[in-house]
Amino acid sequence: MSAANAVPSPGRTLRVLALALCSSPLFVLVAVLVVLPPSEGRLTLPVALGVLALVAAAFALAQAVGYRAAPLPPGLGEAEARRRSVATYQTLMILRFVVTEVPVILGIALAFTLDEGPWPFVLAVVAGVPSMLFHVLVLRSTVDRVRAGLESGGARSYLDEALAA
């Protein structure tokens, strides 16, 4: 089989997806800066604190609920355990992305509804993207947390092997 016909591994697919999801706010930021020039408006302290509080709350919520995986049932074969583990990991990754993206989306809304120019959105992107990267990238810590939940019932998940390639 040629390399052009090879199916990418689940780990590689999830890594590409994570980078695409986390980079999207940067592209939207460029568009917003064209529509709302930085010379317009000024970020006030209450709005800045509100945006930062939203980012912190989203980070904490992703920490609290974004890694809760139901245990795999005992007796699964390796192929089925891998399939279910990757599906669960991907579902939880998207959940963590959605939760950490909410402050960024609200930042866009604030930029267009308040007289503070693009600055609420700029702050939401600057503070929110690192939070998104922390929770969405396929990192050892995120894999370990999901794997622990999957294997908490005694079944082996094979998540590390499925995502390693």
Side-chain angles (χ1 to χ4, degrees):
M1 175 166 36
S2 72
N5 294 332
V7 176
S9 71
R12 183 171 186 173
T13 301
L14 288 174
R15 286 176 183 87
V16 170
L17 176 62
L19 289 173
L21 292 172
C22 291
S23 64
S24 62
L26 301 174
F27 295 111
V28 175
L29 176 61
V30 171
V32 168
L33 289 175
V34 169
V35 176
L36 294 173
S39 60
E40 294 180 11
R42 190 175 135 231
L43 186 63
T44 61
L45 184 60
V47 172
L49 292 175
V51 168
L52 293 174
L54 286 170
V55 171
F59 183 90
L61 184 60
Q63 278 286 104
V65 301
Y67 298 93
R68 291 186 184 171
L72 292 172
L76 287 179
E78 181 178 340
E80 181 63 13
R82 280 179 183 241
R83 187 192 66 73
R84 287 188 186 192
S85 296
V86 169
T88 299
Y89 185 88
Q90 181 177 1
T91 300
L92 291 172
M93 182 181 91
I94 296 298
L95 173 66
R96 293 188 306 270
F97 167 72
V98 168
V99 168
T100 56
E101 188 185 34
V102 167
V104 175
I105 293 170
L106 292 175
I108 293 173
L110 291 173
F112 283 100
T113 57
L114 302 177
D115 289 332
E116 302 196 12
W119 299 112
F121 180 57
V122 170
L123 181 59
V125 169
V126 168
V129 168
S131 172
M132 291 167 66
L133 289 168
F134 179 84
H135 285 297
V136 177
L137 289 180
V138 181
L139 303 172
R140 170 69 18 222
S141 59
T142 59
V143 173
D144 287 347
R145 288 184 71 185
V146 173
R147 182 179 35 76
L150 290 167
E151 295 180 352
S152 65
R156 183 145 185 245
S157 69
Y158 301 95
L159 184 60
D160 291 325
E161 295 85 352
L163 298 179

